[in-house]
Amino acid sequence: MLTPALENDLKAAIRTIPDYPKPGIMFRDITTLLGNPRAFRRAVDELVQPWAGAKIDKVAGIEARGFIIGGAVAHQLSAGFVPIRKKGKLPHKSVRIAYSLEYGIDEMEMHEDAVARGERVILVDDLIATGGTAEGAVKLLRQMGAEVAAAVFMVDLPDLGGAHKLRAMNVPVRTLVAFEGH
Ligand code: AMP
């Protein structure tokens, strides 16, 4: 758990843009947090804190904001980094999975040799909403034999149930701040 003061500081560092990208959505823009040296460092330190000293082989980041946070998390844990990308972007032989979005489905990919069987992986993205994206990434990693040690996010939208969905898949979840609603 974060102290209330730290949670407030991190929350205040995130900008909210109403009705983006469409009416009714409150877009939680973490670029302001990333641009704030102190907040960025504290957020990454807090995300990795339970795994400091643990054996984590890889950090998998979800395109695109998960790459930024995931790179910092991987560095902090002395782990490798694995990009999980939208389909058609990776140059080498890849594995692909369909996942559900709020409206419709999309596909994500990972290089087939990016994780080895039995490796312990932490999944990273900026925000978890319905959990459809993270669920797809967990399935992809497990399909390749990885052990998903945890999934970590700066922001949780608990009303949308994504963190709950991941925990029901036996994935420990860590989030730093929560916002009500969509
Ligand atoms: P979901 O699959 O529903 O959990 O959606 C998570 C993905 O969509 C993440 O990669 C987020 O960056 C993005 N996302 C969903 N809702 C929001 C929101 N309200 N503000 C910012 N990003 C969002």
Side-chain angles (χ1 to χ4, degrees):
M1 279 291 279
L2 268 58
T3 63
L6 178 56
E7 184 175 354
N8 280 341
D9 282 357
L10 295 180
K11 247 179 143 161
I14 295 167
R15 172 166 57 194
T16 295
I17 301 175
D19 299 319
Y20 182 88
K22 53 187 179 213
I25 302 287
M26 299 287 273
F27 191 84
R28 308 301 177 177
D29 173 20
I30 60 138
T31 65
T32 44
L33 185 152
L34 299 176
N36 174 331
R38 194 170 161 275
F40 187 22
R41 182 171 194 101
R42 286 305 301 272
V44 172
D45 284 349
E46 284 296 333
L47 277 179
V48 305
Q49 189 265 327
W51 296 278
K55 186 188 165 292
I56 299 296
D57 301 294
K58 303 271 168 66
V59 171
I62 300 175
E63 188 172 2
R65 280 161 279 164
F67 290 178
I68 303 161
I69 304 163
V73 166
H75 176 81
Q76 196 89 326
L77 293 176
S78 301
F81 179 79
V82 174
I84 297 183
R85 300 208 64 178
K86 311 217 162 90
K87 68 165 179 250
K89 306 251 188 163
L90 287 168
H92 188 57
K93 235 178 148 188
S94 299
V95 285
R96 179 183 293 187
I97 196 165
Y99 65 103
S100 53
L101 294 166
E102 204 175 347
Y103 302 104
I105 59 165
D106 207 344
E107 288 175 302
M108 65 176 86
E109 293 182 340
M110 181 178 84
H111 278 147
E112 63 171 16
D113 57 0
V115 293
R117 208 148 274 285
E119 280 191 326
R120 284 168 55 78
V121 178
I122 288 185
L123 179 67
V124 179
D125 203 358
D126 64 327
L127 177 148
I128 183 156
T130 66
T133 310
E135 179 187 29
V138 168
K139 285 183 178 164
L140 200 55
L141 289 163
R142 284 182 171 169
Q143 202 175 299
M144 299 317 289
E147 183 194 329
V148 183
V152 304
F153 308 86
M154 285 186 178
V155 181
D156 185 18
L157 305 184
D159 297 345
L160 298 181
H164 184 74
K165 183 187 273 180
L166 288 192
R167 290 187 181 112
M169 296 172 76
N170 288 320
V171 178
V173 177
R174 180 162 174 84
T175 62
L176 302 182
V177 305
F179 290 96
E180 283 180 9
H182 285 231

